[in-house]
Amino acid sequence: MKVCLLLGLFVVALLPSLSESRIVSKCELKDKLGEEINLPKKLKSHDDEILSIIICEILRRSNGNTSLVNVDGIRHPLATAQPTTGRSEPETNKTMAAESVSSRKKQKSPDSQESLNDVENRFDEEQMQQDDQRMSNEGSSDEDRSSYQQDPNKITLWSLGYYGVFQLRDSHFCDSGYRWSRNLCQKSCSDFTDDDITDDIECLINSNYHWFLFRTLSHECFNDRKTFLHDCS
């Protein structure tokens, strides 16, 4: 009887976390991303193929799992990890957000004459790579710091976390509390691991990370670009 009761309590304890996880289908991504990704006029004829490649690359990384977290390097649990969410927005990140909004407005212009190479380069890959390697706040201004606080008495172990359906990095897009982060999207990384992908999509589009996914396409997704979304209405 006691064993059954304990098992029942264990299942109940798991339910909240299980309810926050789901698998996003390629057809759902087609509908939601299709509304957000606006191509220059000269690329409109290729919109299905471009969208197919982006979604294919997303699913290659996460299989559509909204709660997926992957970590490179060594990471110990932090009882005092404090995410950025809830803090006043740093001035530097306000500027980044404004630039992202401006970029989206330009992206939605039907008369834009940007080439495919132009849109591919909207995302700053070099900056993300630099953020990946940075673990401390040394050399940064107060406005450019995440909630990660380096303990001078401890050795900082390099790590890099990837969160949610888009596998957004905690060095660049969000703050996990484990390491320094640019926190471009002004989000806690845990916000990207629930079953609501609205904020995930907002971060993906505002940062232009979807163009990085397109630019770094695999042979698999390139070969499937014409048929990948054919079974979606």
Side-chain angles (χ1 to χ4, degrees):
M1 181 66 179
K2 289 183 178 180
V3 173
C4 292
L5 179 60
L6 289 173
L7 287 174
L9 291 173
F10 179 72
V11 171
V12 170
L14 283 177
L15 285 177
S17 60
L18 290 175
S19 65
E20 294 182 351
S21 173
R22 68 185 180 94
I23 302 299
V24 181
S25 71
K26 63 181 180 181
C27 296
E28 179 180 349
L29 288 174
K30 177 188 177 183
D31 291 340
K32 292 184 175 180
L33 294 182
E35 294 176 355
E36 298 294 332
I37 298 175
N38 293 277
L39 298 174
K41 186 175 181 180
K42 62 166 56 177
L43 299 178
K44 287 289 186 181
S45 60
H46 303 288
D47 57 351
D48 286 341
E49 291 182 33
I50 292 173
L51 189 59
S52 291
I53 289 172
I54 293 172
I55 294 174
C56 177
E57 290 300 329
I58 289 169
L59 296 182
R60 282 186 67 246
R61 288 163 168 78
S62 70
N63 290 318
N65 188 343
T66 62
S67 65
L68 182 65
V69 177
N70 285 308
V71 175
D72 290 338
I74 300 174
R75 180 167 288 184
H76 300 296
L78 294 179
T80 58
Q82 296 294 324
T84 299
T85 302
R87 298 190 312 152
S88 59
E89 187 177 356
E91 198 65 36
T92 52
N93 283 328
K94 286 181 181 178
T95 302
M96 293 177 196
E99 289 174 350
S100 294
V101 171
S102 175
S103 175
R104 288 192 69 189
K105 287 180 179 179
K106 290 179 182 178
Q107 183 180 351
K108 291 182 177 182
S109 172
D111 299 323
S112 173
Q113 295 300 311
E114 287 181 292
S115 66
L116 186 57
N117 185 64
D118 291 331
V119 295
E120 285 180 354
N121 290 322
R122 285 176 181 171
F123 181 75
D124 192 340
E125 181 180 358
E126 182 178 354
Q127 183 185 70
M128 182 177 70
Q129 291 175 341
Q130 291 172 351
D131 291 347
D132 289 350
Q133 297 305 317
R134 182 174 179 179
M135 284 298 293
S136 76
N137 288 325
E138 293 180 5
S140 65
S141 63
D142 290 339
E143 294 86 357
D144 195 31
R145 297 181 181 183
S146 79
S147 62
Y148 172 81
Q149 297 297 323
Q150 185 181 32
D151 185 341
N153 298 316
K154 294 182 180 179
I155 297 175
T156 302
L157 299 175
W158 181 87
S159 67
L160 182 62
Y162 305 81
Y163 292 80
V165 66
F166 302 134
Q167 291 290 275
L168 298 169
R169 307 181 189 196
D170 64 355
S171 64
H172 191 70
F173 301 102
C174 61
D175 188 357
S176 66
Y178 285 98
R179 53 158 296 140
W180 182 90
S181 175
R182 185 172 298 276
N183 199 359
L184 191 65
C185 297
Q186 285 295 288
K187 286 287 188 178
S188 165
C189 293
S190 61
D191 292 337
F192 297 146
T193 59
D194 57 20
D195 60 2
D196 182 359
I197 64 171
T198 303
D199 48 3
D200 307 54
I201 291 175
E202 182 179 0
C203 181
L204 178 82
I205 301 299
N206 283 346
S207 65
N208 286 308
Y209 186 56
H210 54 297
W211 291 119
F212 170 79
L213 298 177
F214 180 83
R215 187 169 72 241
T216 57
L217 82 164
S218 62
H219 290 296
E220 174 188 346
C221 291
F222 177 77
N223 292 335
D224 291 344
R225 69 192 186 281
K226 293 183 180 297
T227 59
F228 187 73
L229 296 176
H230 273 189
D231 51 343
C232 297
S233 57

